[in-house]
Amino acid sequence: MIYYLSLPFLSILLIALQSTVTDIFFSGRLTLEISLIVIIYAGFHLDLIKGIILAFILGFVMDCVSGSVPGLFTFIYMIIFLFSFFVSDWLDTEKVYIIIFFSLFCALAKEIILVFVYYLTFKIDMSMNSYFIPFMQTLIISIFAPVFFYLMARLEVLFYGKKT
Amino acid sequence: MFFLRKYKTIIFIAALLIAALSMISYNLKYGTDKSFLRKIVLETVAPVQKVLKFSITSIKDNWSRYIFLVGIEEENKNLNKKINELKAAIVSYQESYQEAQRLKKLLSLSDDYNYNFISARVIGREQAALSRVILINKGSSDGLKAGMPVVAPPGLIGRLVDVSWHVSKVMLFIDENSNIDAIVQRNRTQGIISGAGSRGLVLKYISKTQDVKEGDVIISSGMGGVFPKGMLIGQVIHVDRQDAGLFLKINVAPYTDLSKLEEVLILSSDETKIK
């Protein structure tokens, strides 16, 4: 129960931290989407109900704070969580290169969905757009994901005495 | 009953997915919703972001202050020189302004709108994917309404899209959804300024026969009544005439450095003064 009660507050804290770090270190040019890494981590380690609620709340908070179409992040995060959850049975989720490539794939998929939705709804001329920034963001996520997974594993050991 | 119990997890997940899809479809059809829940989240995020930003910025500023003091004297000299140059420029501009005022009076022209400025502090920045928004510490309790133009010296930076009680979301004009009616100051050619994300701005629908050059100043046209006329938007940095099509491809750099925004002004136009 504590998990579900604390989820909205922790989600707000995470999104606020994420945008502050991004703003200060990248001056708003790049985004370090820690929330996406959290969703992938949840897909690998949490059960279905806990994870999908986390994805829903995190996506909703992201929708409220960001300027995207409300509901879009909620939907994308849930899809990414479900994909990570079902794929985790076939993957060795402890391997660093698996984490890197899987995060890269998910981040890329997310960017493609966003660009596609924006193209369909707002008729944005994508030829005018630079693809460099979204690509750099996916790279940053894939590089940072193993670090996050490692830190979470250490936290788990600290709190629950689990061996990873 | 048995069916519900057996497939409760699947039903629950399907319900959440349908809720998200409904949210998207509702917002695409009727525009961004101003639900109570969204306002609550915005109100909660704002103080957290304020505290985090203050702490991290303090550490960063102290670091910069003590470590990077080298070259300050030289910079100071250069700045003083620049101040003297600018003082001279101001005197000249004041003369021109007074002359313009006199001429305006002679022609009996007057502004149609009476704008009040409301200042606000930037407390957060969200640059997810194709959107570019900032959070400010003023909301509907300060008289703000969605759609109001937002400026930061020397010019326009965007408009309010979501207004909560004490926090508001500003869509910067470099956001992919942003479109502003604009004119080229030199020859009054009219076009639409659209956001191009990290690439700045793009001036659209300018015919290839028009004379637009690099360095031309772009200002708001005042059409539509949202943005006042004559507000600085940006400067043309590249004009592409080679591309196939009827129109020029014009890249515009915003005048305001959007990555360093700290305070902004909101133009409130509660009363319309028509003479």
Side-chain angles (χ1 to χ4, degrees):
Chain A
M1 200 51 160
I2 296 167
Y3 171 80
Y4 296 111
L5 288 175
S6 59
L7 213 49
F9 302 102
L10 290 175
S11 302
I12 286 170
L13 191 69
L14 177 72
I15 299 296
L17 181 75
Q18 176 177 298
S19 37
T20 310
V21 167
T22 301
D23 186 17
I24 287 169
F25 292 104
F26 299 111
S27 296
R29 286 181 185 89
L30 289 173
T31 312
L32 172 59
E33 214 173 319
I34 308 168
S35 50
L36 185 68
I37 305 171
V38 171
I39 296 299
I40 298 167
Y41 183 85
F44 287 173
H45 294 89
L46 284 184
D47 68 53
L48 196 53
I49 294 291
K50 275 186 179 174
I52 198 82
I53 292 174
L54 168 80
F56 185 87
I57 293 175
L58 211 50
F60 182 73
V61 174
M62 190 74 180
D63 275 327
C64 292
V65 178
S66 76
S68 70
V69 181
L72 191 56
F73 272 97
T74 314
F75 183 72
I76 293 174
Y77 278 10
M78 280 198 289
I79 295 292
I80 288 175
F81 167 76
L82 289 172
F83 180 66
S84 314
F85 182 83
F86 291 114
V87 161
S88 64
D89 286 344
W90 288 283
L91 293 176
D92 186 355
T93 55
E94 303 296 324
K95 291 260 192 318
V96 173
Y97 68 90
I98 296 280
I99 297 169
I100 290 177
F101 283 112
F102 191 77
S103 316
L104 187 75
F105 176 78
C106 287
L108 218 54
K110 190 213 84 180
E111 295 292 345
I112 290 168
I113 296 171
L114 279 174
V115 165
F116 187 65
V117 170
Y118 268 72
Y119 176 74
L120 284 182
T121 53
F122 302 114
K123 303 277 179 278
I124 287 168
D125 182 10
M126 292 314 292
S127 63
M128 293 298 287
N129 244 317
S130 166
Y131 290 94
F132 178 70
I133 300 288
F135 181 70
M136 281 301 289
Q137 277 172 199
T138 57
L139 276 183
I140 289 171
I141 289 171
S142 64
I143 291 164
F144 191 71
V147 180
F148 179 83
F149 273 58
Y150 173 76
L151 290 174
M152 288 306 286
R154 300 293 299 174
L155 271 178
E156 275 184 30
V157 174
L158 200 72
F159 285 114
Y160 306 112
K162 256 191 203 176
K163 278 187 179 175
T164 51
Chain B
M1 238 8 192
F2 172 75
F3 175 82
L4 284 177
R5 212 172 298 152
K6 195 179 175 190
Y7 297 106
K8 66 177 178 191
T9 311
I10 297 169
I11 293 168
F12 181 66
I13 291 167
L16 288 182
L17 284 170
I18 290 167
L21 283 172
S22 312
M23 227 190 302
I24 298 172
S25 115
Y26 177 85
N27 287 301
L28 285 176
K29 198 169 180 187
Y30 301 106
T32 310
D33 73 317
K34 280 119 188 132
S35 71
F36 185 74
L37 209 58
R38 280 171 64 82
K39 283 185 179 177
I40 292 283
V41 173
L42 263 182
E43 291 284 329
T44 323
V45 168
V48 177
Q49 210 153 20
K50 218 166 160 179
V51 171
L52 282 171
K53 194 173 180 182
F54 177 75
S55 333
I56 301 177
T57 313
S58 305
I59 296 167
K60 203 183 161 196
D61 285 351
N62 282 330
W63 174 263
S64 313
R65 206 169 294 152
Y66 291 109
I67 306 297
F68 302 109
L69 280 174
V70 187
I72 287 289
E73 201 183 328
E74 188 62 34
E75 198 182 335
N76 209 10
K77 268 185 196 166
N78 289 336
L79 287 174
N80 275 326
K81 202 178 155 193
K82 191 95 188 160
I83 286 171
N84 290 333
E85 284 170 15
L86 289 172
K87 270 181 187 167
I90 284 172
V91 173
S92 145
Y93 289 140
Q94 272 171 345
E95 276 300 307
S96 310
Y97 176 74
Q98 278 166 7
E99 191 183 343
Q101 290 296 315
R102 282 198 304 274
L103 290 170
K104 210 172 171 183
K105 228 175 187 176
L106 276 173
L107 292 167
S108 305
L109 290 175
S110 62
D111 296 329
D112 286 343
Y113 298 100
N114 186 17
Y115 284 99
N116 297 317
F117 286 93
I118 300 169
S119 61
R121 195 176 287 276
V122 177
I123 51 167
R125 197 185 301 266
E126 196 54 53
Q127 319 258 331
L130 302 172
S131 67
R132 299 284 191 275
V133 295
I134 55 168
L135 292 181
I136 55 169
N137 69 342
K138 294 274 169 74
S140 53
S141 60
D142 303 287
L144 303 193
K145 285 174 197 159
M148 283 180 172
V150 182
V151 295
L156 203 64
I157 59 157
R159 66 187 163 89
L160 295 178
V161 282
D162 215 346
V163 179
S164 178
W165 301 291
H166 302 99
V167 187
S168 301
K169 225 159 44 171
V170 179
M171 183 201 274
L172 298 178
F173 59 9
I174 57 163
D175 188 292
E176 304 276 357
N177 294 330
S178 169
N179 290 297
I180 302 170
D181 206 286
I183 45 176
V184 180
Q185 196 181 38
R186 183 172 55 85
N187 54 15
R188 320 310 281 179
T189 309
Q190 197 173 344
I192 301 284
I193 275 281
S194 298
S198 51
R199 290 185 61 194
L201 302 159
V202 177
L203 183 60
K204 288 180 180 171
Y205 311 120
I206 300 278
S207 161
K208 277 189 169 172
T209 55
Q210 298 291 342
D211 168 37
V212 180
K213 289 188 284 196
E214 285 174 18
D216 273 348
V217 174
I218 310 296
I219 56 171
S220 58
S221 72
M223 297 270 185
V226 177
F227 299 101
K229 189 177 180 176
M231 299 225 71
L232 277 179
I233 293 177
Q235 195 169 27
V236 174
I237 49 165
H238 180 69
V239 182
D240 189 358
R241 293 174 186 275
Q242 304 300 316
D243 203 52
L246 292 169
F247 304 112
L248 293 171
K249 275 192 171 179
I250 304 167
N251 292 343
V252 176
Y255 267 118
T256 314
D257 186 353
L258 301 169
S259 64
K260 286 176 184 160
L261 287 176
E262 286 181 32
E263 285 93 22
V264 294
L265 296 169
I266 298 101
L267 296 183
S268 143
S269 58
D270 284 341
E271 48 175 321
T272 308
K273 191 176 72 180
I274 301 165
K275 287 183 178 175

